[in-house]
Amino acid sequence: MALNYWAEGWINFGLIGIVLFSIILGKINATFDIKFYKRKPSICYMTIYFIYLGMLFFILRGDLISCVAYMVGLSAATYGCSKLIIHKSR
């Protein structure tokens, strides 16, 4: 059985880990949201942003190492495919 996001923080760093993991997750979400809503994001960024929003449920419910591996792999594949499509369309 996998532990959730805050339990990973508790196991790694104790009570400070819960606070630290919450601050990190909030900072990442704020950075993604500010770039998406305040600036004109590219199609590549928008695709990765929406994948991240879907993966956020996976991050919060399960073990951290598998969700990070899936998210990095999926984001890299999406980024590469979108760059290839944009390059081929020119």
Side-chain angles (χ1 to χ4, degrees):
M1 184 158 107
L3 298 173
N4 64 15
Y5 182 75
W6 291 281
E8 293 270 352
W10 176 267
I11 289 171
N12 291 331
F13 304 108
L15 188 57
I16 295 172
I18 295 173
V19 174
L20 184 67
F21 275 37
S22 297
I23 290 171
I24 290 170
L25 187 65
K27 181 67 176 164
I28 290 170
N29 289 341
T31 303
F32 271 116
D33 287 343
I34 287 170
K35 186 170 181 179
F36 184 77
Y37 289 111
K38 300 282 184 188
R39 301 179 192 143
K40 176 78 172 136
S42 65
I43 298 297
C44 180
Y45 180 81
M46 286 176 27
T47 306
I48 291 174
Y49 175 74
F50 288 123
I51 287 172
Y52 172 74
L53 287 180
M55 293 294 288
L56 191 58
F57 292 104
F58 189 40
I59 290 169
L60 292 176
R61 75 155 187 91
D63 56 336
L64 198 54
I65 194 156
S66 66
C67 70
V68 169
Y70 279 114
M71 194 167 80
V72 167
L74 191 58
S75 296
T78 302
Y79 180 77
C81 288
S82 65
K83 286 295 185 184
L84 183 65
I85 289 170
I86 290 170
H87 179 70
K88 291 289 184 182
S89 67
R90 289 183 187 175

